Amino acid sequence: MSGHNVWTHKGTFLLAAVGSAVGLGNLWRFPYLTGENGGGAFILVYALTIFAVGIPILIAEILLGRNSRQSPIMGMRHLTKTHGTSRAWETIGWLGAASAFLILSFYSVIAGWAIHYTWLMLTGSLVGADAQTISDGFDALLAAPGLMTLYHTLFIAASALIVGMGIHKGIESGLRIMMPALFVILLVVLAYGAINGDMSAAANFLFTFNIADLSLEGWLQAMGQSFFTLSLGMGAIMAYGAYMPSNVSLTRTAFAVAIVDTAVAMVAGLAIFALVFGAGLETGQGPGLMFVTLPLAFAEMPFGALVGGVFFILVLGAAISSSISLIEPVAAFLVERFDMTRPQAVIIMVIAAWAMGLLTVVSFNVWAEGTIFHSLFGRSAFDFIELLTNIFMPVGGLLIALFAGWALTQSEVMKELGASVSWFKCWRFLVRFVAPAAVAFVFLRTIPQVDGYLIPTLGALLIVGAFAASQRWLKKPRQTT
């Protein structure tokens, strides 16, 4: 890859990776899971898993990207050739690209709801509204495929515009404005929550160390969240890693990404739950918290319409910073493989993801239930697409860990890590054994709750096959010590 395709500023990769990691899940899922699963106890398990699983795989994925200096698919093709391994390892690139494409298709639809609520807030439409009115309003949005398609189109077009402008003018410039602005907005909402909400109740909900509330499922959710929150296995980190300057510390950057990502989730949790408890409302999970409970809290508070509008701009910004990272892996592949211009590649990727997103749109209304899709797969199109990504991402992350741990030589890893031998040995042990085992355990334990026997059996075969194939795919033994 030519020299001009490297971030012009050392800190841009950090902004890009944090932008990819900080999304809708940080703003509602992580704080909710923390509160429901023992507070501080959940955070402790999460932090341990981040260190033992998340950071080692994050380092591995950046390493593969920076080593190849290409898109995930072409990069893995290059690495398999240079390391004399089987071409089957290219699966890593394809799984990442497929995950990014599928996630973008439904993420854009959900993020589009924030456009609706930004408008409602800033125009004062929800001032003084009661719970029933706001709940009915959310249901009406879900029942309107035309409106949802409009928001879906606006959101994905804005994301495409940024990526289409290129690495420097588009992604880099956008992130350098957007990410600091998001942090400022988050602090403004936190200050507002401290003044108008119940900060002590929020702190108790999030940080009380109650090990009794942390069930096995809570452990699994903490482990799963630590993996998913860092955007691992979806090609984004590998694609961004390809643009990372060689003189930037890979280890320090990976730790910084994990710390900033967690801090944002914690601050968002304090801000959101201070408002929720201050208004005497229940802590709902998922879309209900974001699009029903919070608008209700803002509706009852002074200057709530203005701060609510600013909050949903924060949600939109976090969603866009994530969505541009989902467009990049596929767009970069199309540019490299078919010699397209960047705008052409982005348009093809985005139009295909937009069309796929229509399945998610109709999942909430026209195809809500009783359709042929339901009878074939036992779930809505949206749930099925989300299920596929929940399979592809962990398997991709697992393969990344195995390839980086077993195929790369000590000398090249040491050169990229720029760290001590002891840290290298620690990282290699974690990425070879601990991270793959943990990802496999969470994956196999979580999937049976989702489907009967087909999916867990498929998952088991994939994971066992990955472990077995990791040795067979490495055609010739590598000297790694």
Side-chain angles (χ1 to χ4, degrees), residues 274-442:
L275 295 170
V276 169
F277 289 123
L281 302 171
E282 289 297 312
T283 57
Q285 188 183 13
L289 172 65
M290 183 73 84
F291 299 109
V292 178
T293 309
L294 270 177
L296 185 57
F298 284 123
E300 297 174 1
M301 291 183 175
F303 305 107
L306 176 62
V307 179
V310 169
F311 172 78
F312 279 104
I313 290 171
L314 163 70
V315 173
L316 269 175
I320 281 188
S321 70
S322 294
S323 68
I324 61 178
S325 75
L326 296 169
I327 296 172
E328 182 59 26
V330 179
F333 165 70
L334 294 175
V335 169
E336 290 169 12
R337 178 69 181 80
F338 300 106
D339 204 27
M340 293 182 183
T341 64
R342 176 167 274 269
Q344 285 172 339
V346 170
I347 287 168
I348 289 172
M349 159 64 170
V350 164
I351 287 176
W354 177 85
M356 174 73 80
L358 297 180
L359 287 175
T360 295
V361 169
V362 295
S363 293
F364 294 99
N365 36 72
V366 183
W367 281 13
E369 54 190 28
T371 64
I372 189 164
F373 204 96
H374 265 272
S375 57
L376 279 174
F377 300 104
R379 63 189 65 245
S380 70
F382 165 58
D383 288 337
F384 182 73
I385 294 167
E386 191 180 28
L387 173 64
L388 285 179
T389 64
N390 287 339
I391 294 170
F392 291 172
M393 282 175 63
V395 173
L398 179 73
L399 294 174
I400 286 166
L402 292 172
F403 186 85
W406 294 97
L408 301 184
T409 61
Q410 175 171 342
S411 57
E412 66 185 324
V413 174
M414 288 282 287
K415 181 186 168 190
E416 290 288 352
L417 283 183
S420 64
V421 175
S422 56
W423 167 238
F424 163 74
K425 286 180 177 175
C426 175
W427 171 80
R428 191 171 65 172
F429 173 74
L430 291 172
V431 88
R432 277 184 167 186
F433 304 108
V434 178
V439 171
F441 176 69
V442 172

Side-chain angles (χ1 to χ4, degrees), residues 435-456:
V439 171
F441 176 69
V442 172
F443 176 71
L444 292 177
R445 186 73 181 77
T446 307
I447 294 297
Q449 300 165 9
V450 179
D451 224 320
Y453 296 103
L454 175 64
I455 297 301

Side-chain angles (χ1 to χ4, degrees), residues 89-159:
W89 285 104
E90 288 177 29
T91 308
I92 291 172
W94 289 105
L95 279 173
S99 297
F101 173 76
L102 292 172
I103 293 168
L104 179 65
S105 77
F106 66 76
Y107 197 87
S108 175
V109 176
I110 309 299
W113 300 348
I115 300 175
H116 183 71
Y117 278 86
T118 303
W119 175 253
L120 289 181
M121 284 289 175
L122 292 178
T123 55
S125 303
L126 299 180
V127 174
D130 60 18
Q132 191 61 47
T133 304
I134 290 177
S135 180
D136 289 348
F138 183 56
D139 291 341
L141 171 64
L142 296 187
L147 195 57
M148 282 172 67
T149 302
L150 171 65
Y151 294 138
H152 168 47
T153 307
L154 290 173
F155 179 85
I156 209 165
S159 305

Side-chain angles (χ1 to χ4, degrees), residues 8-243:
T8 52
H9 295 266
K10 284 186 177 183
T12 303
F13 176 82
L14 178 61
L15 286 179
V18 168
S20 177
V22 173
L24 300 180
N26 282 68
L27 299 180
W28 55 260
R29 189 171 187 268
F30 181 62
Y32 176 84
L33 288 176
T34 302
E36 289 293 290
N37 289 287
F42 180 89
I43 293 171
L44 179 64
V45 174
Y46 170 84
L48 288 172
T49 317
I50 279 277
F51 177 77
V53 181
I55 289 175
I57 299 179
L58 179 63
I59 288 172
E61 191 162 345
I62 301 169
L63 209 151
L64 296 180
R66 192 160 78 171
N67 210 318
S68 68
R69 294 286 181 205
Q70 293 177 40
S71 66
I73 295 170
M74 300 304 289
M76 285 311 302
R77 186 167 296 177
H78 168 73
L79 290 172
T80 56
K81 285 177 184 171
T82 55
H83 290 76
T85 59
S86 166
R87 283 193 63 179
W89 285 104
E90 288 177 29
T91 308
I92 291 172
W94 289 105
L95 279 173
S99 297
F101 173 76
L102 292 172
I103 293 168
L104 179 65
S105 77
F106 66 76
Y107 197 87
S108 175
V109 176
I110 309 299
W113 300 348
I115 300 175
H116 183 71
Y117 278 86
T118 303
W119 175 253
L120 289 181
M121 284 289 175
L122 292 178
T123 55
S125 303
L126 299 180
V127 174
D130 60 18
Q132 191 61 47
T133 304
I134 290 177
S135 180
D136 289 348
F138 183 56
D139 291 341
L141 171 64
L142 296 187
L147 195 57
M148 282 172 67
T149 302
L150 171 65
Y151 294 138
H152 168 47
T153 307
L154 290 173
F155 179 85
I156 209 165
S159 305
L161 188 64
I162 294 171
V163 183
M165 288 169 69
I167 305 298
H168 301 309
K169 285 185 179 176
I171 299 175
E172 190 164 10
S173 300
L175 288 168
R176 284 170 57 200
I177 296 166
M178 197 158 39
M179 295 312 292
L182 293 186
F183 296 143
V184 170
I185 291 173
L186 188 56
L187 292 175
V188 168
V189 177
L190 179 68
Y192 179 81
I195 295 165
N196 295 292
D198 190 341
M199 192 58 76
S200 63
N204 282 337
F205 181 71
L206 286 174
F207 300 124
T208 303
F209 197 93
N210 190 353
I211 200 77
D213 286 351
L214 187 62
S215 62
L216 173 63
E217 295 311 314
W219 274 79
L220 289 167
Q221 285 179 321
M223 291 170 74
Q225 181 69 12
S226 72
F227 180 81
F228 286 108
T229 190
L230 293 177
S231 299
L232 303 175
M234 61 172 77
I237 297 298
M238 204 184 297
Y240 281 167
Y243 312 130

